[in-house]
């Protein structure tokens, strides 16, 4: 699936099963909530925190997919083509960081 296809699939799902988009501010809050759930799992799986009973049933891949879903919703709502945005962002990073990471002693 391409990013464009994902944006189309999410839009169709929202407008049928989901009825309508939440407003942009609500979706921003939902995105922060979903990112927090990813952070909670990362701290427990890869960090030093231990699992609580309520954390054990969570699935990291599913939580990351929740983040992606809400981000796609926000892109759709604000008219952003994520494929184009990602291409531009990678281009920016490539130009900006062309030598920066290669010269970073911490990465060697």
């Amino acid at each position: 699936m391409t990013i464009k296809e994902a944006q189309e699939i999410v839009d169709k799902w929202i407008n049928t099963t989901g009825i309508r988009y939440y407003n942009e501010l609500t979706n921003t809050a939902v995105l922060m909530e979903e990112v927090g759930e990813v952070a909670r799992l990362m701290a427990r799986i890869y960090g030093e925190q231990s699992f609580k009973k309520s954390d054990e049933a969570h699935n990291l891949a599913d939580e990351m997919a929740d983040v992606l879903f809400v981000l796609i919703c926000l892109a759709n709502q604000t008219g952003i083509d994520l494929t184009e945005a990602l291409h531009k962002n990678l281009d920016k990073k490539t130009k900006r960081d062309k030598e920066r990471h290669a010269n970073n002693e911490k990465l060697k």
Side-chain angles (χ1 to χ4, degrees):
M1 165 186 332
T2 66
I3 297 171
K4 181 177 178 50
E5 288 170 336
Q7 284 192 252
E8 291 168 355
I9 289 166
V10 167
D11 188 63
K12 183 177 179 184
W13 187 93
I14 288 293
N15 287 301
T16 56
T17 306
I19 307 302
R20 67 169 179 81
Y21 285 93
Y22 295 142
N23 69 44
E24 296 85 352
L25 184 56
T26 299
N27 268 339
T28 300
V30 171
L31 179 62
M32 296 305 101
E33 182 181 321
E34 297 298 350
V35 169
E37 290 176 10
V38 169
R40 173 184 287 280
L41 283 178
M42 293 298 288
R44 283 155 177 74
I45 295 169
Y46 300 102
E48 288 126 10
Q49 282 195 321
S50 59
F51 276 94
K52 298 176 189 174
K53 287 286 183 201
S54 61
D55 296 322
E56 291 175 352
H58 288 285
N59 176 303
L60 184 58
D62 187 54
E63 297 300 343
M64 287 186 178
D66 285 343
V67 169
L68 182 58
F69 180 88
V70 180
L71 184 63
I72 289 171
C73 286
L74 283 166
N76 287 350
Q77 289 176 276
T78 57
I80 293 172
D81 176 333
L82 284 173
T83 301
E84 181 183 330
L86 183 58
H87 281 295
K88 286 181 179 178
N89 187 270
L90 287 169
D91 203 36
K92 173 190 78 175
K93 284 175 173 41
T94 300
K95 289 174 185 165
R96 181 190 67 201
D97 301 331
K98 187 164 51 176
E99 296 176 21
R100 179 173 158 235
H101 297 302
N103 296 328
N104 183 346
E105 291 297 319
K106 296 177 185 178
L107 296 178
K108 294 180 181 184

